[in-house]
Amino acid sequence: MLKKENKLKSSEIEKRNLLKKEKPYVYEKILKFDEKIRRGESIAIIQFQYNYICNFRCEHCSVKRFQGKSNARQFTIADVKDLFRQADEMGLARVTITGGEPLVFKDFDELVAAIDPKKFYINCDTNGWFLDKKRADHLKSISVDRIQLSIDSLDATEHDSFRKAKGSHERAMKAVDAALNAGLGIFIQTVVTKQRLYSNEFIEFIKYFDKKGIGVFVTYAKPVGAWEGNFNVLINKDDMNFLKKLEKNYNVFTHLTPAYGLNIGCIAVKGMISVTQYGDVLPCPYIHVSIGNVFEEPLKDIIRRGLNIKYFGEHIDTCLIAEDRNFINKYIVKRVYNKPLPVNCAEVFTEEDKTLNPFNRKF
């Protein structure tokens, strides 16, 4: 069942007021999130993997097996317009442009225009390499709302080694100031393994950005992509509870952290979908299972199919792909590993995996 939070945090109220002023149409859509969830509808952020081109080769890269040559149909700007027309008609309001590294896309400005900034709150993932003052000012001018900047240590050597790019830490730290000075929203994305979670380095990391007034989004290590089969880095329920305690004292959060006054648990399909460069819709960026392809059928039908799988259509109070070893072993290791990606959902989930409640269930 949906767990209703008592009230919005003061920081969320402040952000809503700013959104109401700058993007009133998006604000009105977000006000309807509560009723959409109660009707059993998705309020998904569209994590849009528009192009897998990237200037880094990060140690943990989750899309490593998606990169490379492919003869499959890829997005054109016209396709982007159609996808986000459908998303708007469904009341979806948020998009994260990702890849790859979005700031190397030659058609980035056309991409943003095709999404339509008046109708969507636009986040942009970046490793920060190309985010200097001029680029940050430009992003603000074309109505990008927020930067999701990847930094994985305050130690330059550790960060550069993890990202396999010498000088990347220096550029990322400069990108923080560039975004702030341009008036862009920003939070820091950081990868946390079981080992890093309890380190002094991690505590100092979140304290540093907390003092700068910048939130830290923790993405738990996942055994996919370049880390396929790497189970030593995975967290468990005790680790998740430890992070929840940190959330009470610092501006740190995960995808399980309640937002918009709602606690929907795992946000796969309910609160997020990933759309690949080739049109496949994934439940989340790390579950490499296709629930449909937007070049073949309407987005609303694809999301309905996803919500009819119990893991995505019901309240799940964990991260399936980072913590739930039963889910990982049964569905990912045995049914996804060693196959071309993404794997069709019909090959992964069976009749027994359908939700016990029909599409009009209440979360």
Side-chain angles (χ1 to χ4, degrees):
M1 294 293 291
L2 170 70
K3 297 179 181 179
K4 180 70 175 178
E5 298 296 301
N6 291 328
K7 59 181 180 180
L8 295 174
K9 295 179 180 179
S10 59
S11 58
E12 284 193 274
I13 294 173
E14 184 179 340
K15 290 175 183 176
R16 282 199 182 194
N17 290 337
L18 180 62
L19 186 64
K20 183 178 181 180
K21 178 182 177 181
E22 295 184 347
K23 293 189 175 184
Y25 182 78
V26 179
Y27 170 79
E28 292 298 327
K29 285 199 285 187
I30 288 176
L31 287 183
K32 297 176 182 177
F33 277 4
D34 183 271
E35 62 183 79
K36 284 177 67 62
I37 282 289
R38 293 185 181 280
R39 288 199 303 264
E41 299 177 9
S42 172
I43 57 170
I45 301 168
I46 298 178
Q47 200 247 14
F48 191 27
Q49 301 171 0
Y50 176 67
N51 193 311
Y52 292 122
I53 187 173
C54 190
N55 59 320
F56 282 11
R57 291 294 180 268
C58 301
E59 177 182 315
H60 70 305
C61 181
S62 63
V63 298
K64 182 178 180 180
R65 287 182 56 200
F66 287 86
Q67 294 174 319
K69 294 182 179 180
S70 174
N71 294 322
R73 177 178 172 180
Q74 302 179 29
F75 272 94
T76 64
I77 291 300
D79 293 326
V80 174
K81 289 180 179 178
D82 185 62
L83 171 63
F84 285 92
R85 172 192 59 77
Q86 294 181 63
D88 178 48
E89 290 173 356
M90 295 174 64
L92 303 183
R94 301 163 295 163
V95 56
T96 296
I97 300 172
T98 186
E101 166 54 42
L103 296 189
V104 302
F105 298 169
K106 293 181 179 180
D107 56 351
F108 184 88
D109 287 16
E110 291 83 357
L111 172 62
V112 171
I115 292 169
D116 193 343
K118 296 188 300 296
K119 295 179 179 178
F120 290 91
Y121 186 87
I122 300 179
N123 297 287
C124 179
D125 266 342
T126 183
N127 55 41
W129 189 269
F130 294 109
L131 187 60
D132 56 13
K133 180 183 184 303
K134 181 178 180 181
R135 192 66 184 276
D137 288 340
H138 178 71
L139 294 180
K140 181 66 176 179
S141 75
I142 62 173
S143 295
V144 170
D145 296 288
R146 185 168 64 188
I147 294 299
Q148 301 179 187
L149 179 62
S150 295
I151 301 179
D152 291 294
S153 177
L154 292 180
D155 183 275
T157 301
E158 289 183 5
H159 174 90
D160 290 2
S161 175
F162 188 76
R163 295 284 164 177
K164 297 182 180 179
K166 187 176 181 180
S168 60
H169 183 269
E170 180 181 3
R171 287 192 178 223
M173 296 302 281
K174 288 180 179 179
V176 173
D177 292 330
L180 290 173
N181 292 335
L184 288 165
I186 182 174
F187 65 77
I188 303 302
Q189 297 184 134
T190 195
V191 179
V192 172
T193 62
K194 183 181 186 70
Q195 295 77 18
R196 187 185 180 210
L197 179 62
Y198 297 98
S199 69
N200 290 330
E201 177 275 325
F202 178 61
I203 300 300
E204 292 305 313
F205 184 92
I206 57 178
K207 283 182 178 180
Y208 175 85
F209 289 107
D210 193 60
K211 289 179 180 177
K212 291 179 73 72
I214 300 174
V216 172
F217 172 70
V218 167
T219 177
Y220 293 124
K222 318 290 196 307
V224 299
W227 272 357
E228 188 172 293
N230 187 358
F231 305 116
N232 292 328
V233 295
L234 302 187
I235 49 90
N236 59 29
K237 285 283 180 62
D238 289 339
D239 302 327
M240 294 173 71
N241 289 333
F242 175 77
L243 188 58
K244 286 179 181 178
K245 291 179 181 178
L246 293 179
E247 289 185 43
K248 295 178 181 179
N249 298 313
Y250 305 104
N251 189 6
V252 59
F253 53 98
T254 74
H255 63 288
L256 294 168
T257 304
Y260 304 100
L262 302 169
N263 179 359
I264 62 174
C266 173
I267 63 173
V269 185
K270 294 186 293 293
M272 170 178 277
I273 56 170
S274 292
V275 180
T276 75
Q277 181 176 339
Y278 309 109
D280 286 293
V281 178
L282 316 180
C284 86
Y286 310 102
I287 300 177
H288 296 157
V289 176
S290 176
I291 57 174
N293 189 294
V294 296
F295 298 146
E296 299 171 0
E297 58 184 325
L299 180 63
K300 64 179 181 180
D301 293 344
I302 296 171
I303 289 182
R304 181 180 293 114
R305 180 180 299 117
L307 289 171
N308 280 332
I309 297 170
K310 65 183 179 182
Y311 296 104
F312 314 131
E314 298 176 6
H315 192 280
I316 303 293
D317 194 23
T318 192
C319 180
L320 293 166
I321 193 64
E323 184 276 327
D324 190 331
R325 294 299 293 270
N326 289 329
F327 180 89
I328 293 168
N329 290 333
K330 181 176 180 179
Y331 297 101
I332 306 303
V333 175
K334 294 181 179 179
R335 303 181 188 182
V336 174
Y337 279 9
N338 302 315
K339 292 183 179 181
L341 299 180
V343 181
N344 188 288
C345 63
E347 297 179 40
V348 179
F349 301 106
T350 64
E351 286 294 316
E352 70 175 13
D353 299 313
K354 287 189 176 180
T355 180
L356 297 178
N357 303 305
F359 182 61
N360 65 354
R361 82 219 128 323
K362 304 299 185 288
F363 292 111

